[in-house]
Amino acid sequence: MKLISIIVPAFNEEANIASMYKTLVQELEPLPYLYEIMFINDGSSDGTLDEILKLANEHETVKYISLSRNFGKESAMFAGMKRIKGDAAILMDSDMQHPPTLICEMIQGYEDGFHQVVAKRSRKGDSKLRSAFSSLYYKIVNSVTDVSFEDGEGDFRLLSRKAINSILSLSESNRFSKGIYSWIGLSKKTISYENVVRAEGDSKWSFASLVNYGIDGIISFNMKPLRICFYTGFLVLFLSLLYIAFTFYQIMVRGVIAPGYFTTITAILLLGGIQLISLGVIGEYVGRIYNETKQRPHFLVDMSNVDEYDES
Ligand code: UDP
Ligand code: MG
């Protein structure tokens, strides 16, 4: 029988752990699969760990990792993926916002051969402002990055063993999962669900952390922001050359007396343009160094009928 692993990161979720476990078991028990439920305590300061330990003592199917401090959800999920043994894994939040009733459909998608089965949520219940911000953000991000992010598609998804191994092969420490899921490719199926409000406790997202997350999304997957320097530099240089040419024409041909600030403005604009271009050039190198340090694999294979060439 195949083993399905459920990965549940938890940060200060003491009120949710027990009910989460109960609903998960209700869904998993009737299915013809073995299962393990991997809780990751992400440095909670409340009774989350006690709740997890209680479950782990009572049930063999409950596994746990407790991190030494709060490392953030991305790291918690990564830790979980490293330790699970399943043929497929489902990533879920511990606040019941990811309906366990979808598990069955996700596994069906996996059996149909998909490597990623993504649950896409509607924006029901979100404030209008937040929805508007989100859709604007996704438009911007998708136009400037090399990977594609879909609004409403988050971490709630099933990943095949192959997809998990691919994700684990990206060992960069600044992890932006949404980009990584897209970067690894592989076949993907999307199912939709209505947004659910949180069961207990509060969301860990503040406006500031959302903005930071947004910036991570843009920076982690492309170097285009650096290139903006380069292009602005060229634009400034071009405009200043035009200005100089125009003023020279006025002086030489039309005999207009040059204003006193002409030399100052010219010097500032010319130098400004050149400096921006130089920054852009440095940026290109920095960007390349940044990419190299991530040491991502050069490619991931989906299917092939030849093995890698091996000298030995
Ligand atoms: N979480 C975590 N570490 C953190 C923050 C959050 O493991 O530093 C977990 C949290 O316990 C929950 C999931 O990540 O299971 C999603 O968090 P939250 O509900 O705050 O996010 P939202 O649903 O509002 O996007
Ligand atoms: Mg939540």
Side-chain angles (χ1 to χ4, degrees):
M1 257 205 287
K2 284 183 185 158
L3 174 69
I4 304 286
S5 306
I6 312 285
I7 301 176
V8 191
F11 174 52
N12 293 345
E13 304 276 8
E14 62 178 351
N16 290 320
I17 299 291
S19 52
M20 178 73 188
Y21 173 76
K22 227 171 93 193
T23 31
L24 277 177
V25 171
Q26 264 169 20
E27 291 300 321
L28 290 163
E29 207 57 60
L31 302 177
Y33 293 92
L34 297 172
Y35 65 88
E36 61 175 359
I37 302 173
M38 170 69 81
F39 285 103
I40 300 102
N41 172 37
D42 186 15
S44 304
S45 53
D46 64 357
T48 302
L49 181 60
D50 298 332
E51 289 290 322
I52 296 173
L53 289 177
K54 223 190 299 173
L55 288 175
N57 281 333
E58 288 167 18
H59 311 279
E60 259 193 347
T61 50
V62 175
K63 309 277 190 290
Y64 70 89
I65 306 170
S66 185
L67 304 183
S68 60
R69 64 168 172 84
N70 179 245
F71 282 91
K73 186 185 174 190
E74 296 278 344
S75 304
M77 290 189 304
F78 191 59
M81 279 192 239
K82 279 204 151 173
R83 300 286 167 91
I84 48 146
K85 304 211 162 56
D87 300 292
I90 301 179
L91 292 163
M92 292 181 84
D93 284 1
S94 44
D95 55 6
M96 311 291 279
Q97 279 190 299
H98 294 165
T101 43
L102 290 177
I103 288 178
C104 192
E105 206 181 333
M106 287 178 142
I107 295 178
Q108 191 53 51
Y110 164 67
E111 289 295 353
D112 292 343
F114 290 97
H115 286 290
Q116 298 200 45
V117 186
V118 187
K120 180 180 172 136
R121 78 178 174 99
S122 66
R123 287 228 162 251
K124 200 183 127 207
D126 273 8
S127 74
K128 279 224 167 64
L129 189 69
R130 187 168 164 176
S131 306
F133 258 123
S134 304
S135 74
L136 178 70
Y137 173 72
Y138 282 99
K139 276 209 186 87
I140 295 174
V141 167
N142 282 324
S143 64
V144 301
T145 61
D146 311 326
V147 289
S148 80
F149 308 150
E150 295 267 347
D151 193 5
E153 289 185 9
D155 296 311
F156 186 22
R157 61 183 67 215
L158 177 145
L159 300 163
S160 69
R161 175 45 64 185
K162 189 175 187 109
I164 296 163
N165 289 347
S166 304
I167 291 173
L168 292 177
S169 71
L170 303 194
S171 55
E172 60 216 59
S173 50
N174 210 325
R175 304 186 71 74
F176 187 77
S177 286
K178 276 193 187 186
I180 289 175
Y181 299 134
S182 157
W183 192 90
I184 60 165
L186 298 171
S187 55
K188 171 180 140 180
K189 182 185 177 184
T190 310
I191 54 184
S192 302
Y193 71 99
E194 286 275 291
N195 193 18
V196 189
V197 287
R198 196 174 226 287
E200 300 284 336
D202 298 315
S203 169
K204 275 89 203 168
W205 289 100
S206 62
F207 182 70
S209 60
L210 273 179
V211 171
N212 279 332
Y213 183 72
I215 294 174
D216 274 353
I218 296 178
I219 304 285
S220 315
F221 278 87
N222 80 104
M223 308 183 340
K224 284 185 190 141
L226 290 172
R227 219 157 261 175
I228 292 172
C229 265
F230 208 59
Y231 293 136
T232 325
F234 268 115
L235 186 71
V236 172
L237 194 66
F238 177 70
L239 290 179
S240 64
L241 287 178
L242 265 188
Y243 174 70
I244 293 166
F246 173 72
T247 318
F248 256 115
Y249 168 78
Q250 297 269 60
I251 299 167
M252 305 304 248
V253 180
R254 309 202 28 213
V256 178
I257 298 165
Y261 57 77
F262 172 61
T263 42
T264 323
I265 290 237
T266 315
I268 291 176
L269 285 179
L270 270 180
L271 271 179
I274 291 167
Q275 276 172 345
L276 274 175
I277 293 173
S278 318
L279 262 185
V281 172
I282 295 174
E284 283 290 313
Y285 285 106
V286 173
R288 266 152 230 230
I289 294 169
Y290 172 61
N291 263 343
E292 290 294 333
T293 53
K294 283 195 271 199
Q295 302 208 334
R296 285 184 185 160
H298 298 177
F299 56 84
L300 297 167
V301 178
D302 186 18
M303 257 194 264
S304 159
N305 67 352
V306 281
D307 282 339
E308 214 171 317
Y309 179 69
D310 186 359
E311 286 264 2
S312 58

